């Protein structure tokens, strides 16, 4: 499911500590389901909870939240429109400077299916439809400079 790969890239780009220790970022799916329509189309989709665990995170939580919300604006825009909940989280402090952080995001992923003339099927993950927001504040997949470099969070 390519949304998890994209989410991993967005978080890693936002938190320089994960660029040094990528093993501290773990993603997995729970409570997933598949769905399809009773139509002639072979298309289908998934609904699932994406779990994001960052072990020994030392960055400010606001930096992580900002990266997640930017990613959601492009990849799951319905979650940033009230009354929807963007994500849930749990924080387990380890010491005065680090914590284990677990985020849960309810995501969907649609797949289009086309039958090949030679037999078999071509399947492609669909991007979200045209952006819900036209302001360009979403997370672009290929940003040359991390957007959070040099950002200080005031208490």
């Amino acid at each position: 499911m390519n949304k998890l790969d994209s989410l991993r890239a967005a978080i890693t780009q936002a938190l320089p500590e994960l660029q040094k220790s990528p093993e501290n970022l773990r993603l997995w799916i729970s409570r997933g389901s598949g769905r399809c329509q009773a139509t002639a189309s072979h298309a289908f989709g998934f609904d699932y909870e994406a779990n994001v665990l960052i072990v020994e995170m030392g960055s400010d939580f606001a930096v992580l939240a900002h990266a997640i919300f930017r990613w959601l604006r492009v990849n799951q825009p319905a979650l940033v429109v009230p009354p929807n909940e963007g994500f849930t989280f749990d924080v387990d402090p380890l010491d005065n400077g680090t914590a284990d952080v677990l985020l849960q995001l309810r995501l969907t992923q649609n797949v289009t299916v086309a039958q090949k003339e030679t037999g078999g099927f071509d399947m492609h993950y669909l991007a979200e439809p045209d952006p819900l927001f036209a302001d360009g504040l979403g997370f672009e997949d290929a940003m040359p400079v991390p957007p959070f470099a040099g950002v200080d969070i005031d208490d």
Side-chain angles (χ1 to χ4, degrees):
M1 291 185 224
N2 63 352
K3 282 193 180 182
L4 290 185
D5 293 337
S6 172
L7 181 57
R8 176 184 297 279
I11 293 168
T12 300
Q13 187 174 37
L15 302 178
E17 66 194 75
L18 294 176
Q19 295 168 18
K20 297 173 189 166
S21 301
E23 69 279 2
N24 286 1
L25 175 59
R26 303 169 191 157
L27 288 87
W28 71 94
I29 294 172
S30 61
R31 295 185 197 100
S33 63
R35 58 179 160 61
C36 69
Q37 307 262 336
T39 67
S41 170
H42 290 266
F44 60 93
F46 303 108
D47 295 302
Y48 58 92
E49 183 174 86
N51 298 278
V52 178
L53 176 64
I54 303 170
V55 178
E56 299 177 356
M57 186 174 97
S59 296
D60 190 291
F61 187 78
V63 173
L64 173 62
H66 183 246
I68 297 294
F69 283 124
R70 288 183 66 198
W71 183 87
L72 286 172
R73 288 173 65 93
V74 173
N75 295 281
Q76 199 73 48
L79 292 184
V80 295
V81 177
N84 293 323
E85 182 176 79
F87 60 88
T88 60
F89 63 91
D90 296 294
V91 177
D92 182 18
L94 301 174
D95 55 37
N96 287 336
T98 61
D100 290 343
V101 177
L102 175 65
L103 306 170
Q104 300 91 21
L105 301 92
R106 195 79 203 154
L107 302 179
T108 59
Q109 181 71 69
N110 294 312
V111 180
T112 185
V113 180
Q115 192 162 8
K116 296 179 187 180
E117 288 183 23
T118 58
F121 298 93
D122 281 325
M123 292 185 239
H124 301 282
Y125 289 109
L126 295 176
E128 289 297 315
D130 291 337
L132 184 60
F133 306 99
D135 57 17
L137 295 177
F139 189 90
E140 272 54 52
D141 285 350
M143 297 177 78
V145 177
F148 306 104
V151 171
D152 291 325
I153 302 295
D154 295 325
D155 292 62

